DNA sequence: TTGTAAGCGTTATCAG
DNA sequence: CTGATAACGCTTACAA
């Protein structure tokens, strides 16, 4: 006999069809199946692993036995010899940020479709917490998707040297990533504002550690300069509704006629604060955001925003990862994800100064 | 030498401080640590497992060696002899439903705080897909939280006979669950409507398989009857914005002056459709929902709703689970989660018929 | 095609 | 307090 393994709560009646005659009372193993089928355990392993490695007759017998015993392979036991866990990790900064929903859904779908399990960890917008979370899930996964990382580039590189890593909305040398075509959306947005007579706009930046905030700002700067529009950066700010509200005063002080927030959450905060101050949007102030999250078209006026393909991003990221761990055959497009300007009610003609 | 284990991508320079002198080039094992510390592997296991099972001196030596080798315990290897994976599963119907965000966050926090990993699976509102998802993650977890299950009670019972299971928003005999105090919130809501002169209200039900929809309807029926208010149930409907929109026509046909939707998403759908038909809310129709999701106070008019404590629900559910797998000492309160009526702009005086 | 046996990294029993 | 050693359930050369 061995050590522990007291997982056999074989009290409750089995209910359906699971006659259970396993050695230890616990879940059936390939040994039990092998006994029942009259073959060697290794044959069971082969039959249930890759098809065709065993004769049709025996395979049928084995499958029947497995079904009768309600056998399911123990993933931990399988992971030990192979080193592959069939599990992927997804790390996000804030799981209640609607922006991540799409990513999570896309990732979960792609993963489960490939027979992989997805473990998710939240970093609460803190680099340290993120490092800890990664540390914790790392040994149990075959690869990791970092969706909104606040980690320094060198830490990411170091991580990527050990395990397959795919980044979303973040570029680090030598590490594969899924990125949106920021320039197009931003170009359209700035053109839209320009056409409506805005000559001075403000960008409400996100957190310092947000690569994407940098990137959006850079694109904005290019586009604004090209059109001779004055632009200022206000921030950094927390990428939340409250972050947007808190930045409102500085925004107004800048006398910008249009505000572009790092994300929709912040844009919503700005709009709420404007409403609280009796400032009409878009009459006295135009507001735009990024991502097009759930809620952006609910608010009044509905938010003009640069839509990102979040579900696709999640899908592609795990697709990449699966390819890196050698788990699929798909060809992965590596082009940037298209970005679209969605014009709604929160932007309009510049207030006459 | 053994079979596979080609996880050693020992090319990229180690970066920081990880002098790596492991046997196989791969991650360090307790054997490597034992070698370096000059002790037996079993001693390393003891030292790193529970404290105090080994002399202070050797423990220090072992910890130093472990640190130098950048050793982290392989959870798979550990799970094999113990049968415990230190992983919990969370199954949700629809991960993009804002209602689940809170649950996921609460669950993730409670889990990671206890050193557990959370794997999440989505069932896409389908009982079969849910069964498959559970099947897939089951062998790798110590217990499961079913957050918005569409499974039949007997399947849940059968599941619970094998692994610890905790339900959220669903009661099944013999299976622990985290439930809200529906009656209080519903009572307040109906009183609120009554005070505003509503004599006939409609309930827009959720999916057939939703226990919570049943439960809310039952509470509504009680409260309405007690006040002599006429009430009708319309449905079943998909628990989404579109589900709410689709139910709009039948709602109006009922001539109810107030609509109570199974959840906020549906309520939002109703409001959107009302707006599309030029029907004023709450002037011509009062609308209320359940949960108080993100977005409910963004929409105009803001939604009156019965708020649920979703984060707390997630926390309690994994708290329960941890207790069941013997992983903590907390005392778990098992009272119902308080529910609060949040009155906002979407409800008002009944339209004079 | 199938059986044999070694090994994956850790824990736990049993001596010493 | 610590060292051997046998599991845990599965995969995979290697033989037969």
């Amino acid at each position: 006999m061995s050590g522990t393994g007291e997982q056999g709560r074989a009290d409750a009646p089995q209910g359906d069809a699971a006659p259970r005659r396993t050695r230890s009372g616990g879940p059936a193993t390939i040994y039990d199946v092998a006994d029942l089928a009259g073959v060697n355990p290794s044959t069971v392993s082969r039959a249930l692993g890759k098809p065709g490695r065993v004769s049709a007759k025996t395979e049928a017998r084995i499958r029947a036995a497995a079904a009768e015993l309600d056998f399911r392979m123990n993933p931990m036991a399988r992971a030990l010899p192979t080193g592959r866990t069939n599990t992927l990790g997804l790390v996000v900064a804030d799981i209640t940020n609607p922006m991540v929903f799409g990513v999570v859904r896309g990732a979960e779908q792609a993963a489960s479709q490939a027979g992989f399990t997805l473990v998710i960890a939240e970093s609460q917008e803190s680099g340290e917490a993120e490092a800890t979370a990664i540390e914790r899930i790392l040994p149990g996964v075959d690869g990791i998707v970092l969706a909104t990382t606040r980690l320094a580039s060198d830490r990411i590189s170091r991580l990527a040297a050990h395990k397959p890593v795919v980044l979303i909305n973040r570029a680090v040398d030598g590490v594969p990533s899924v990125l949106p075509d920021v320039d197009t959306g931003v170009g359209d947005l700035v053109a839209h504002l320009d056409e409506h007579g805005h000559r001075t706009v403000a960008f409400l930046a996100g957190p310092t550690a947000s690569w994407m905030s940098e990137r959006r700002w850079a694109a904005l700067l290019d586009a604004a300069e090209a059109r001779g529009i004055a632009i200022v950066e206000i921030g950094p700010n927390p990428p939340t509704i409250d972050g947007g509200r808190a930045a409102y005063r500085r925004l107004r002080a800048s006398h910008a006629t249009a505000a572009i927030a790092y994300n929709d959450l912040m844009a919503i905060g700005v709009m709420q604060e404007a409403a609280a101050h009796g400032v009409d949007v878009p009459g006295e102030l135009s507001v735009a955001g990024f991502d097009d999250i759930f809620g952006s078209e609910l608010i009044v006026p509905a938010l003009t925003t640069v839509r990102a393909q979040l579900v696709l991003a999640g899908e592609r990221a795990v697709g990449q990862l699966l390819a890196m761990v050698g788990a699929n055959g798909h060809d992965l497009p590596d082009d940037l994800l298209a970005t679209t300007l969605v014009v709604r009610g929160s932007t309009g003609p510049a207030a006459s100064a």
Side-chain angles (χ1 to χ4, degrees), chain A:
Chain A
M1 281 290 122
S2 138
T4 47
E6 23 69 9
Q7 58 228 45
R9 54 185 68 209
D11 35 285
Q14 254 304 118
D16 248 358
R20 276 299 150 71
R21 26 189 151 158
T22 66
R23 304 153 310 167
S24 51
T29 72
I30 54 172
Y31 284 82
D32 302 313
V33 176
D35 280 359
L36 213 177
V39 299
N40 189 279
S42 68
T43 306
V44 174
S45 173
R46 279 188 285 254
L48 270 27
K50 303 197 178 300
R53 299 268 310 127
V54 95
S55 87
K57 292 182 66 97
T58 35
E59 170 159 355
R61 203 143 33 87
I62 290 175
R63 290 206 178 283
E68 176 170 352
L69 292 178
D70 194 29
F71 167 82
R72 44 269 331 242
M73 193 132 60
N74 181 328
M76 309 296 166
R78 170 190 279 233
L80 209 38
T82 61
R84 301 186 67 265
T85 63
N86 262 331
T87 298
L88 264 23
L90 173 64
V91 183
V92 301
D94 172 8
I95 208 164
T96 64
N97 180 336
M99 176 265 169
V100 314
F101 303 159
V103 174
V104 175
R105 160 163 283 195
E108 212 282 334
Q109 301 215 123
S112 71
Q113 193 179 316
F116 274 64
T117 293
L118 192 72
V119 334
I120 111 137
E122 193 182 12
S123 71
Q124 315 276 20
E125 293 285 354
S126 136
E128 264 337 292
E130 182 171 355
T132 309
I134 292 176
E135 193 84 347
R136 204 164 43 71
I137 66 173
L138 201 55
V141 302
D142 292 337
I144 290 208
V145 175
L146 261 27
T148 43
T149 184
R150 302 290 182 249
L151 248 34
S153 295
D154 62 312
R155 298 187 80 167
I156 295 178
S157 300
R158 221 175 316 141
L159 180 61
H162 291 297
K163 287 258 181 167
V165 171
V166 175
L167 268 16
I168 291 181
N169 281 8
R170 168 77 175 259
V172 169
D173 230 53
V175 182
S177 55
V178 176
L179 296 172
D181 169 25
V182 179
D183 295 317
T184 303
V186 164
D188 291 349
L189 174 58
V190 173
H192 166 72
L193 259 18
D194 194 5
E195 283 159 18
H196 282 75
H198 294 271
R199 306 308 306 159
T200 141
V201 318
F203 175 64
L204 272 43
T208 319
S210 167
W211 182 89
M212 199 34 129
S213 184
E214 274 311 321
R215 187 67 195 74
R216 287 172 179 167
W217 165 243
L220 243 11
L221 202 51
D222 283 350
E225 274 181 354
R227 291 172 177 274
I229 291 177
I231 190 166
V232 295
E233 183 183 20
I234 295 175
N237 308 284
T240 59
I241 290 185
D242 283 342
R245 298 190 78 135
Y248 179 79
R249 188 174 167 201
R250 296 182 58 195
L251 164 64
R252 294 301 282 167
S254 76
H255 284 203
T257 58
I260 301 175
Y262 160 63
N263 68 11
D264 286 351
L265 243 24
M266 291 179 62
I268 288 170
V270 168
M271 287 177 60
Q272 289 183 345
E273 200 65 12
H277 287 261
V279 168
D280 183 59
V281 172
E284 299 172 67
L285 176 70
S286 282
V287 178
F290 280 92
D291 292 340
D292 192 23
I293 62 172
F294 171 82
S296 294
E297 63 175 341
L298 258 30
I299 196 170
V300 173
L303 186 64
T304 291
T305 187
V306 176
R307 174 182 295 158
Q309 301 187 73
L310 274 0
V311 177
L312 223 201
E315 284 173 0
R316 283 220 188 154
V318 341
Q320 274 270 10
L321 219 40
L322 289 171
M324 294 169 77
V325 306
N328 82 347
H330 292 268
D331 287 324
L332 328 137
D334 63 340
D335 51 319
L336 300 177
L337 262 32
T339 244
T340 3
L341 174 65
V342 181
V343 176
R344 291 197 276 239
S346 67
T347 48
S352 40

